[in-house]
Amino acid sequence: QGEANLRVQELERMWVGIAKTINAHEEEFKEVRSAFTFENFLDAFSVALAHAVYLPSVDKLALVPLVEMLPRVSPPPPSAAAEANREPGAFGPENRMALDYDASTQSVVLRAQGAVREGEEVYLSDEEPSSNVELLLSRGIVRPTNSHDFLIVNTNVVMADTLYTAKKQILEAYGLDEDQQFLVYKDRIPLELLSYLRLSRLQTTEDLLKLNFEKDQLISEMNEYEILQLLLTEARMISQGYAAPDTDTDRFVLRDPEASVPEKLAASLRAGEKQVVSSFMDAVRTRLAPIRGIPTKSGMENQNQEIIDMFDAMESIPKAPGRFVKSVADWWTDPENWKDPDEKK
């Protein structure tokens, strides 16, 4: 919603300039002046943007008749295995069309990537695959399954940290800021995010030497436990933002024939983002599972230590009388205990 509001505000600024031009030529626009409103401008801009296509060689968006009617697929079939399992009639690499501006003919050219038989359907491939949020804002559509949906995780290094200067220098060396955002996708947690969090929680210069931004390398169990708990808390907070409506309600809306298009789009968008949140939480829990302890001042301690201590104490109760008798017997049989006090001296 925040991104949508920012884009509307930018269009409002654009409209101010257009309105000044219209007002400066009031006589020419007199017959249609009432139609030139910001609301109509917003509708017209949205329609144009939804149907525009990208021309890479000139880095421009353009409205190209007929081409915008082609289906757009993201991503194209990625591998030989996927190609072997492709269902009859589904799009394949040969059906993909490349679209660009040809300066020599001063025209937009559409070329197939392979041999296409007569009657086969062709498609445009999104050169820069987009999340459902971007697709909804730019083209008014949401894909039911979109591997490019993501969450934003905010991280930072605080100035009060005694190792702040050293940490900041390390981050700058890797092109990162002291306040940094990371994108988390459904099927992966970025290595840079894990390394950044590990760095943020380090407390000694010795541990700084163990840090590796190139490999998924633990610093210590305590450090790893802390960063995974931070990620789990972040995931829970994001999940709470989807508390209402719940997943079942979204499914009902998607199946409801009387639900409006905006309602269905919103439900589909939420469903996709909830899948990313759920996968993110599962990935964090999977990493957390092998860590059997909890951090204490003296280091990592078994999280069930209190229960273990309790059972140890219970097991020791039946042995207490025996230990008492043994201690008395040991004292009784010790000759030193029967010597005259003067002799001991």
Side-chain angles (χ1 to χ4, degrees):
Q1 185 176 357
E3 179 64 24
N5 290 336
L6 288 175
R7 297 191 186 192
V8 170
Q9 291 171 11
E10 185 61 32
L11 289 174
E12 285 177 339
R13 285 190 285 270
M14 188 184 297
W15 171 249
V16 169
I18 296 173
K20 286 181 180 178
T21 302
I22 294 174
N23 293 334
H25 301 80
E26 189 173 349
E27 190 63 30
E28 290 90 330
F29 288 97
K30 182 171 57 177
E31 299 296 328
V32 291
R33 179 66 184 84
S34 60
F36 286 87
T37 64
F38 174 67
E39 288 72 20
N40 288 344
F41 167 71
L42 194 60
D43 288 343
F45 187 92
S46 299
V47 171
L49 184 62
H51 292 81
V53 291
Y54 179 65
L55 305 177
S57 63
V58 290
D59 191 25
K60 299 289 184 183
L61 288 172
L63 290 173
V64 182
L66 299 180
V67 168
E68 57 88 14
M69 297 176 64
L70 290 174
R72 302 186 196 184
V73 177
S74 173
S79 64
E83 178 62 14
N85 296 324
R86 178 159 51 112
E87 296 180 2
F91 289 130
E94 72 279 1
N95 302 93
R96 181 185 177 194
M97 306 296 287
L99 181 73
D100 205 354
Y101 180 76
D102 184 0
S104 63
T105 60
Q106 296 187 342
S107 60
V108 175
V109 178
L110 190 65
R111 290 188 176 91
Q113 301 297 291
V116 180
R117 293 185 291 272
E118 182 178 354
E120 282 190 330
E121 191 173 6
V122 294
Y123 70 91
L124 287 177
S125 175
D126 290 332
E127 296 299 330
E128 295 185 5
S130 304
S131 68
N132 274 336
V133 170
E134 180 60 35
L135 288 174
L136 182 58
L137 290 174
S138 60
R139 292 168 52 194
I141 64 171
V142 171
R143 292 194 171 108
T145 55
N146 190 339
S147 60
H148 304 287
D149 278 342
F150 59 83
L151 303 175
I152 296 177
V153 175
N154 295 299
T155 59
N156 69 292
V157 174
V158 297
M159 294 185 67
D161 193 328
T162 55
L163 297 175
Y164 170 76
T165 302
K167 291 180 179 181
K168 185 179 179 182
Q169 290 174 349
I170 292 173
L171 292 175
E172 289 174 348
Y174 285 97
L176 301 171
D177 297 324
E178 55 190 297
D179 291 291
Q180 185 72 40
Q181 286 188 338
F182 291 94
L183 304 186
V184 176
Y185 293 88
K186 182 178 179 179
D187 58 348
R188 61 196 181 277
I189 300 176
L191 173 59
E192 278 192 337
L193 169 59
L194 295 171
S195 299
Y196 190 108
L197 290 175
R198 287 166 183 155
L199 172 67
S200 70
R201 306 298 294 180
L202 293 182
Q203 298 178 2
T204 66
T205 52
E206 289 79 6
D207 284 341
L208 285 176
L209 300 176
K210 301 177 186 177
L211 188 67
N212 192 333
F213 270 79
E214 308 298 331
K215 296 180 180 179
D216 190 1
Q217 181 173 303
L218 275 65
I219 305 299
S220 68
E221 274 203 337
M222 181 179 292
N223 178 271
E224 198 71 7
Y225 179 89
E226 289 177 351
I227 72 160
L228 293 175
Q229 287 293 346
L230 287 173
L231 288 176
L232 201 55
T233 299
E234 181 75 12
R236 285 169 178 158
M237 290 178 63
I238 295 172
S239 181
Q240 288 172 1
Y242 296 98
D246 58 24
T247 302
D248 290 337
T249 303
D250 287 336
R251 290 183 185 135
F252 175 79
V253 171
L254 291 172
R255 292 194 299 264
D256 184 4
E258 297 184 2
S260 66
V261 172
E263 286 174 334
K264 286 182 178 290
L265 287 173
S268 184
L269 180 64
R270 284 192 300 268
E273 292 183 344
K274 288 175 185 177
Q275 288 178 8
V276 181
V277 176
S278 178
S279 296
F280 177 39
M281 293 181 73
D282 288 344
V284 174
R285 289 193 184 104
T286 299
R287 283 178 167 270
L288 196 56
I291 301 177
R292 299 299 181 185
I294 55 175
T296 65
K297 291 182 179 179
S298 58
M300 293 297 287
E301 183 179 283
N302 192 316
Q303 55 191 340
N304 299 317
Q305 191 60 47
E306 291 185 0
I307 298 176
I308 294 172
D309 292 342
M310 181 181 69
F311 276 100
D312 286 344
M314 291 173 65
E315 288 176 358
S316 68
I317 290 174
K319 301 176 183 178
R323 287 198 298 268
F324 173 73
V325 171
K326 185 178 184 302
S327 64
V328 171
D330 289 343
W331 181 87
W332 186 270
T333 57
D334 187 351
E336 291 295 321
N337 294 325
W338 296 99
K339 287 183 179 180
D340 188 276
D342 293 334
E343 292 181 19
K344 292 182 179 181
K345 293 179 181 179

